[in-house]
Amino acid sequence: MNDAAPTPSTPRRARVRAPELIGKGGWLNTGGKDYTLADLRGRIVVLDFWTFCCVNCLHVLDELRELEERHRDTVVIIGVHSPKFVHEAEHQAVVDAVERYEVEHPVLDDPELATWKQYAVRAWPTLVVIDPEGYVVAQHAGEGHAHAIETLVAELEAEHTAKGTLRRGDGPYVPPEPVATDLRFPGKALRLPGGTFLVSDTTRHQLVELAADGETVLRRIGSGERGLGPDAFSEPQGLALLPDGRVAVADTVNHAIRTFDPETGEIATVAGTGKQWWQGSAASGPAREVDLSSPWDVAWWQDRLWIAMAGVHQLWTYDPATDTVEAVAGTTNEGLVDGPAAEAWFAQPSGLAAGGDRLWVADSETSAVRWLDTELVVHTAVGTGLFDFGHRDGAAAQALLQHPLGVTALPDGSVAVSDTYNHALRRYDPATGEVSTLATDLREPSGAVLVGGAGFGDPEIVVVESARHRLTRLRLPEEAVRVESVAHRTQRAATEVGPGKLRLDVIFQAPAGQKLDLRYGPSTRLLVSSTPPELLASGEGADTDLGRDLVLADGVTEGVLHVSAMAASCDDDPAVEYPACHVHQQDWGVPVRVVEGGTDRLALVLAGLDEAAAE
């Protein structure tokens, strides 16, 4: 350690010299200028390691907006884009994502994970705070850390103002030139009974009604400004027609389900409070009193509205008859596990389609197509887990997708898949168990609508080409397109661990001015499992301690450790009867390879610094 002795005005904290920022893709949102840490000396720098497929990363982008605005003259937020999927390593895809999600700070495109490795990051999202003298002073993984970082920033501002090492002024952000198009990164589409199309114009926070040609704008719904008012949305996505003629809207960043009446133009909120759901919150009850988390798509099936709750890896329902919501499928753990709905695991479900006795699900982070039957049992049609993806047709057991966001039920019982990061429309046929490719050369298709057929002309499918900002009409081909098979695994390097005993430590340090919330018992939770399950001889399961000894089984040489941690901290002021409390949580999927001489300790930072490693 090279800290000076602490004084009453200078809190003692571990400091590690920050590694340089490097990324082969270069810088975005800087007007063409490249930056080094030396250029940023004197400012408080927050590095946001993110990837645009990750809903938790999108949550953090929203958490940071207020901090970014309030401390614009002292804090520089830099997004370090660190891809999981092959498509996310494409520079233009990063450019699109920065505009799509209104990222208003510089972004370093790091397609080879160079800076990720330099900072020993293990999870998306991860936030790293660098002080004005160029030292790392904190690291946070997951969501819910905005308050802690706000507190730390205030401390650093006071400390470095007193030392004369804080430099105030305008930051390096330079906004890109706006582009004029009728739609901007549309998410989903719906065909209205009159033959027109309703499209969620996600980046512009509106719905747009297009004529039957799929091109002519008839009207725009919503002010275009983020909000939850009677004339506003925030990054809306999924759309579903309700039996009474209204349209249900997954108002994603508002964490709400809205309705739009095409006849009157009225917008209303039917579910959600506008606040994000956290562990420990109610998962059922009166619809407008229960928090939701990034609803991404909706579908009417079995007399209820089903909700793909991407933010917590679950399926929920809204029942208009009782005006209630309920979590039905998924445990909130991220992964691919079939079985009874309440025990199944999903990974960012982002597309739904009702197909008779099946509810089809595009489970994006596992690059999978799943389905729920009427007995509420979850099945997997295509996909194997979080880290395997690609473009491979043939038998479903070995077929590969890449981050699909949409599914569309077809008349013959099969399902069309908007295979988003493969820029393709795929098809899974339950009758044959085969996966084929219907069309390629689409650009980030995120949903599709079936039109025609059943006496109304040849069936066609209208695809939402999100990154081309348009709807594209395709004839359903009689024969599949032949595509060369490509298989991928995530670029993340596996952690080499030694055989036998492995110490797992989740690092959590309560932010300054807070303490663990012990009023109602333990305030921490640690859940551990593995893929394959045989990887762990012991140590799996849930407990309240954030440290645990794992034992790796003999004969299993690689796999993934799934670690989910949560900690709740509250303001530490005895004079306050009801202190404000904050939940910090993160899920890690850590690829491991068992080798002689590998590490016997795995440290995952939830909040703070791993001082054992920093010494």
Side-chain angles (χ1 to χ4, degrees), residues 266-283:
E266 181 184 2
I267 298 169
T269 300
V270 296
T273 64
K275 297 178 181 178
Q276 184 182 340
W277 187 95
W278 289 98
Q279 290 287 350
S281 302

Side-chain angles (χ1 to χ4, degrees), residues 28-346:
L28 305 175
N29 282 356
T30 63
K33 181 177 178 180
D34 293 346
Y35 280 87
T36 66
L37 283 176
D39 298 325
L40 303 170
R41 196 62 49 80
R43 310 298 289 273
I44 301 164
V45 177
V46 179
L47 302 181
D48 176 16
F49 289 87
W50 70 299
T51 189
F52 63 79
C53 71
C54 162
V55 71
N56 311 94
C57 299
L58 304 185
H59 291 165
V60 168
L61 283 176
D62 291 313
E63 288 178 5
L64 292 176
R65 293 186 198 278
E66 191 172 337
L67 173 79
E68 194 166 25
E69 182 59 36
R70 190 158 43 231
H71 298 274
R72 192 169 291 279
D73 65 334
T74 59
V75 173
V76 175
I77 296 175
I78 293 175
V80 181
H81 189 269
S82 312
K84 170 185 175 181
F85 290 99
V86 168
H87 170 58
E88 293 175 305
E90 297 175 14
H91 182 68
Q92 185 57 48
V94 181
V95 172
D96 288 346
V98 167
E99 180 189 352
R100 181 195 296 268
Y101 297 116
E102 298 182 314
V103 180
E104 296 183 351
H105 51 249
V107 173
L108 176 63
D109 180 11
D110 182 19
E112 297 177 347
L113 303 181
T115 296
W116 166 287
K117 294 170 186 172
Q118 288 276 74
Y119 281 81
V121 175
R122 292 186 180 274
W124 296 278
T126 291
L127 298 170
V128 175
V129 181
I130 302 171
D131 73 12
E133 295 178 290
Y135 289 92
V136 174
V137 293
Q139 181 172 327
H140 303 265
E143 305 176 48
H145 302 295
H147 180 270
I149 292 176
E150 174 83 41
T151 301
L152 178 57
V153 164
E155 289 180 0
L156 292 172
E157 286 177 340
E159 175 185 341
H160 289 274
T161 296
K163 293 172 67 174
T165 49
L166 184 70
R167 176 167 57 89
R168 295 178 181 268
D170 292 335
Y173 170 66
V174 178
E177 289 293 325
V179 181
T181 52
D182 287 334
L183 302 173
R184 205 71 193 158
F185 298 105
K188 307 286 185 181
L190 171 71
R191 197 168 192 227
L192 294 174
T196 60
F197 292 95
L198 192 66
V199 184
S200 53
D201 197 15
T202 304
T203 297
R204 292 207 177 113
H205 315 296
Q206 291 180 315
L207 308 181
V208 177
E209 186 176 2
L210 301 178
D213 62 8
E215 298 179 8
T216 305
V217 175
L218 300 179
R219 60 173 162 168
R220 295 184 177 276
I221 300 101
S223 65
E225 300 293 329
R226 289 181 184 271
L228 191 56
D231 191 32
F233 298 98
S234 188
E235 297 184 30
Q237 288 281 349
L239 306 168
L241 193 64
L242 298 175
D244 63 8
R246 292 180 300 162
V247 175
V249 182
D251 197 3
T252 304
V253 177
N254 274 328
H255 308 296
I257 301 299
R258 319 289 295 283
T259 57
F260 165 65
D261 189 330
E263 296 297 322
T264 67
E266 181 184 2
I267 298 169
T269 300
V270 296
T273 64
K275 297 178 181 178
Q276 184 182 340
W277 187 95
W278 289 98
Q279 290 287 350
S281 302
S284 64
R288 287 177 296 280
E289 297 176 14
V290 177
D291 299 337
L292 309 181
S293 182
S294 294
W296 210 274
D297 203 6
V298 283
W300 186 260
W301 185 65
Q302 298 287 306
D303 297 320
R304 287 180 288 174
L305 184 74
W306 288 76
I307 306 166
M309 204 70 75
V312 285
H313 318 298
Q314 291 182 308
L315 304 182
W316 288 41
T317 60
Y318 165 64
D319 185 349
T322 59
D323 200 25
T324 57
V325 292
E326 178 184 10
V328 175
T331 63
T332 77
N333 295 310
E334 184 178 17
L336 193 154
V337 176
D338 289 340
E343 301 171 14
W345 290 24
F346 292 92

